[in-house]
Every structure is written in structure tokens, then in C-alpha cells.
Amino acid sequence: MHVIDAGISDKTNVSKADVSKIDVSKADVSSVWAAHDLSPEELRETLDEAGICTWSLDPATGIVVASETCQKVFGVPRAQLSDYAAILALIHPDDRPARAEIINQALREGGVYQFDCRVLRARDGVHWLRSRGRVQLGASGRPLWLRGVVFSIDDQKRAEAALRAHEEHLRSILQTLPEAAMVIDADNLIRSFSPKAERLFCYKAREVVGRPMTILIPGYAREPTKRRHRPKRAEGGRAAKAAGTLTAFKRDGSSFPVELSVGAISSEAEVLFTLLVNDVTEQEKAEAQLQELQAELIHVSRLSAMGEMASALAHELNQPLCAVSSLTGACELILARDGADAVPRARAVLKEAAEQVLRAGQIVRRLRDFVLRGDLERRLEPVLDLMIDAASLALAGAKEQGVSVRFSHDPKAKLILVDRVQIQQVLVNLMRNAREAMLEAARRELTLTTEAIEDHMVRITVSDTGPGIPGEIADRLFETFVTTKPTGMGVGLPISLTIVEAHGGKLWVEDNEAGGATFRFTLPVMSDGDATDAT
């Protein structure tokens, strides 16, 4: 017994509660199916409504019997479809040989057949049809009849043609791109590989198509089944550059750095992604050479500054050395006397001489650190120590020139993560420029300040009472070879700007109330907690 949930028509007078479940036998089910079986006319009407043409052929007479729908499918009146030759005349000449071969084989062997062909319709030209049928053979092996259906597949064929044209257009674009290009699917399998990509990776397209693109760039999309690892579609149809530099591998296993630009191509069937691959080997070499040249220029600038400071520093060194000479002579005279206090006095004089030697040694150490080229090496440095050391170098002999120095330090501005020598170079450049700018001024005051500001930055200020910056060069002051000095080269400030920006800060100049120039620059400052973590 079968249990059927019955759907009852509104015309019945049986309540739904009475017929919610009805038990019927298999015989009852068969009778229901038989009662609802379609008659030949009903079946033909159903096929006509679906746009399916039915036809039959008598092989002995060549007479064709076609349904009404055939005239819509073939685009000619039904009367023109009365024989096999008339139908054959409607087939596109290029498709007739293949169709004839399939039909003839079916007539010889019997059974089912299927083929696609084009017909020439007077109303709308070429139209694609699909024909399916069956041949019944008699006892003698001769065909008794041929019956089949024909229906339109023109929309499908046009869509396929459009897709092929799209793919061909994409392929032609990939062929002409200056970058190496490949097309991958959502599973990161390579679908297309441009000639430039063949030359870059040393693979032929046939060797990589269908394989995962991670054989070429392992660092990209390691988990292709997860959406977050798939390339996102670029806004506005433009390719989005992938962040960072990745490592790619050639066929021989050698590696090289690349940058990727990724774009999406969407269709109803799937989403494909175009990858433009740029070899940045030469770019990285050029950047390394530029950094090397920049470091060399910075070093030369320090040497140039050192030469200009040589006379003042010689005076600074001469003072402790002369003091040492005088003190040792005095010690010799004291020891030559016979007295109880000779030795204690000699010891005091020698101690003072030793202090002068240490002073000279500190000056020499600062000179050596300043001139030494070295590589960029950032360490935690006290702001106050940097300012004092830089002032010792830049302001040697300033007192004799009548320059007074005022210094203000913010205790909150403690440690900065910098390259000591390079930041000292910035400070020395700014202090020396300020000092030289005031040589002809009646008021010669140099103000140095450090101040902790918001966003975890420290601001360092070097302000003078000189004539200020001429208006005609104020906007170009940080350009190379622009200078206010008669004998200046115009490289100190551009180099200082480069150093400060490389450390994550800013450098600028302002006029001050005294009529001089105020240079300010910022550097990231570290709190006590950050300093503990860094160490």
C-alpha cells in the first residue's frame, strides 16, 4: 500500500480532513497514471508549446511529415518541409556533409543520432538547430522509419561564440602586454600564459596551463579555497597592485623579486583573475645603488662640514693641549723643590692635566664619530646627549665670535630611535648655519630647544637672530644647490631633510620675532615602556 498526500480540487465536495491521507494500491496508482497519460495530440501540443519540432521520414518514399512548429524552427512554410531534399536545401552548405554522414550512418546501423547544424532562414539569416532522432530497422536490416525532434539552440551558440570572442580578445591583449601576464581561476589554476610570461619564467604555456600558479609564485594565495586569499576585484575595472614584493621562481629554480597587479574578469559562469607580473630585480638594484650614493653624499657633506670647522676645532684642541703642557711643566718644578707639600701639590696638578687630556680625547672622539661613514644603524639615543655633542662640534669658537647660546630641554623628551651620526649631522648643519648667519648681526643669540609634542614626537628647534631667509628663495630653500651663503654649495639642508624624513619626521623653517630664522624638525620619541620593549 502507498500513502499519498492528496491535493483536492475546489470542485470536490469532500473535505480536506477526510482526504488528507488516502490509501491506494499499486493497481490504483497505475490506473491514475493511465488516466493522465497524454494522447498523441496532447503530446504534440505540449512539444509545440515548448518550441520543439517533431518530424518523421519514410525512407522508401522520402516523404517527410512535420509538425506545425517546424515552420517556426526552420523559418519556412510547412509545405516546403514535405520531403528530405527540401529540408537538406535549408541546411548551411558547410554543415551538409557532416549532417549527411550522421544520417546515413543512422540509416545503416539504426538507433539514435544527434547533430547540430545551421539553417539559412530568410527572416533572420543563419540560425543554429539541434536535431535528435531514431531510426528503426526492419528484419532485413533496411530502415523502416526515421523519427526525431528539432529545436533551436541559437541563443546557446551565440553565447558560446561571444564567450570565445571574449576569450580571444583577452588572449590578444595578453599577447601584447608589456608585462608578463597570466589568467587564473578561483582555484588559482593557470588558464592562460602570455609570451612575455613564457620568457620571464622560462616555461612554455602548455607546461603550466592547468597547474597551480603557486609553482611560479609560492608566496601568493597559499590557500586558494578560502575567499580571503583570492584577489579582490579592482574598483573601476582597473588592476589593483598587490602589496609588497614577492619571490618568484624560474624553471631552473632561480628566484627573483616581482610585484603583482591583479584584476578580475566576471561572467555568469565564473570569475577569472588577471595577474600582471613585473620583475623588479633591476628596480631593487637601482634603489640599492641610490641608497649607496645617498649615503656617500651624506658622508661627503660631513667631510665638507669638517673642513670648514677645522680651524675652530684646532683652537678647541689647542686649549686643553696647552693646558696639559703648562701643568706638566708646573708639576716638574714642584717636584724639584724639597718640601713636605711637594708630592700632594704635584698630584693635584697631574689630576688637572689628566682632565684636560680627557677633554681633548672627547673632542677627538666626537670628530671621529661625526666623520666616520658607517652604515645606517638606529639605536636608542638620549636627546639631550645628542644636542650637547652636536653643539660641542658646531659651536667651537662661537664664544669668541660673540655668539651666546641658550638651551632649553624638555625632560619628557628622553629617548629617540635614530642613527646617532646622521641626526648629529642635521644638528651640526643647522647650528653652523645659524652661527654663520649671525656673524654680521648686532645681536647674536642662538636658541636650542627640545620639546615633547603630541603623537609621540619630539620637536627640536634651532633659532637665530640673523637676517632671516630672503623671500625669493624661501620656497626653494630645501632644493639642492640653493643657498644663501656666498661660498655655500646648497647641499646641507637637502641632506638634512632627507635624513629627517628617513627617520619618520619633518623639517621646516619659519621666521621669528627677532627677524632671524627658526628651523624645526620632529623625530619619533619613545616612552619608558617602549624603550624597555626595544631593549
Side-chain angles (χ1 to χ4, degrees), residues 106 150 186 210 364 509:
V150 180
V364 172
V509 64

Side-chain angles (χ1 to χ4, degrees), residues 18 24 29 50 69 71 74 78 107 191 201 237 240 268 282 285 305 328 370 372 473 528:
D18 294 332
V24 294
V29 174
T69 308
Q71 66 181 14
F74 284 92
R78 185 181 178 188
L107 291 174
R191 300 281 287 272
F201 290 97
E268 294 182 359
E282 295 302 322
K285 287 182 180 178
T328 54
F370 183 73
L372 187 65
I473 66 169
D528 293 338

Side-chain angles (χ1 to χ4, degrees), residues 323-471:
V324 170
S325 177
S326 299
L327 289 170
T328 54
C331 183
E332 183 179 359
L333 293 175
I334 291 171
L335 291 175
R337 298 175 183 175
D338 292 330
D341 62 342
V343 173
R345 290 183 61 191
R347 286 178 177 174
V349 173
L350 287 175
K351 181 179 179 181
E352 188 176 347
E355 291 175 353
Q356 294 297 322
V357 170
L358 288 175
R359 178 186 169 194
Q362 289 174 349
I363 295 174
V364 172
R365 176 183 60 79
R366 293 188 183 111
L367 289 174
R368 178 183 177 279
D369 290 343
F370 183 73
V371 176
L372 187 65
R373 183 178 184 274
D375 296 323
L376 181 63
E377 184 177 358
R378 298 187 184 183
R379 295 179 179 175
L380 290 175
E381 300 285 352
V383 179
L384 182 59
D385 290 354
L386 284 175
M387 293 287 288
I388 292 174
D389 285 353
S392 299
L393 289 172
L395 303 179
K399 186 175 181 180
E400 288 77 0
Q401 293 176 339
V403 177
S404 62
V405 181
R406 291 190 302 173
F407 181 66
S408 175
H409 173 63
D410 185 352
K412 296 179 181 178
K414 296 181 180 180
L415 298 175
I416 50 179
L417 187 64
V418 295
D419 180 276
R420 181 183 184 89
V421 173
Q422 290 198 357
I423 296 303
Q424 276 193 350
Q425 179 173 358
V426 174
L427 290 167
V428 168
N429 282 343
L430 297 180
M431 292 179 189
R432 287 184 58 251
N433 288 346
R435 172 184 166 183
E436 292 174 5
M438 295 186 293
L439 290 179
E440 303 297 329
R443 179 184 172 190
R444 303 175 188 177
E445 295 179 2
L446 177 64
T447 303
L448 308 175
T449 62
T450 64
E451 179 185 3
I453 60 176
E454 58 185 8
D455 297 329
H456 303 287
M457 303 291 283
V458 60
R459 181 169 58 206
I460 298 174
T461 302
V462 178
S463 183
D464 63 60
T465 56
I469 307 299

Side-chain angles (χ1 to χ4, degrees), residues 301 425-426 428-431 433-434 469 473-474 476-485 489-501 507-509 517 519-521:
S301 174
Q425 179 173 358
V426 174
V428 168
N429 282 343
L430 297 180
M431 292 179 189
N433 288 346
I469 307 299
I473 66 169
R476 300 185 298 114
L477 189 61
F478 293 100
E479 295 179 9
T480 306
F481 307 128
V482 175
T483 181
T484 59
K485 301 177 184 179
M489 296 180 61
V491 295
L493 286 178
I495 288 175
S496 297
L497 178 64
T498 300
I499 292 173
V500 170
E501 290 181 345
L507 171 63
W508 69 97
V509 64
F519 285 85
R520 306 184 194 273
F521 67 96

Side-chain angles (χ1 to χ4, degrees), residues 33-47:
W33 287 347
H36 289 81
D37 197 10
L38 296 177
S39 66
E41 291 185 1
E42 290 174 329
L43 178 59
R44 184 175 293 108
E45 290 177 358
T46 301
L47 294 175

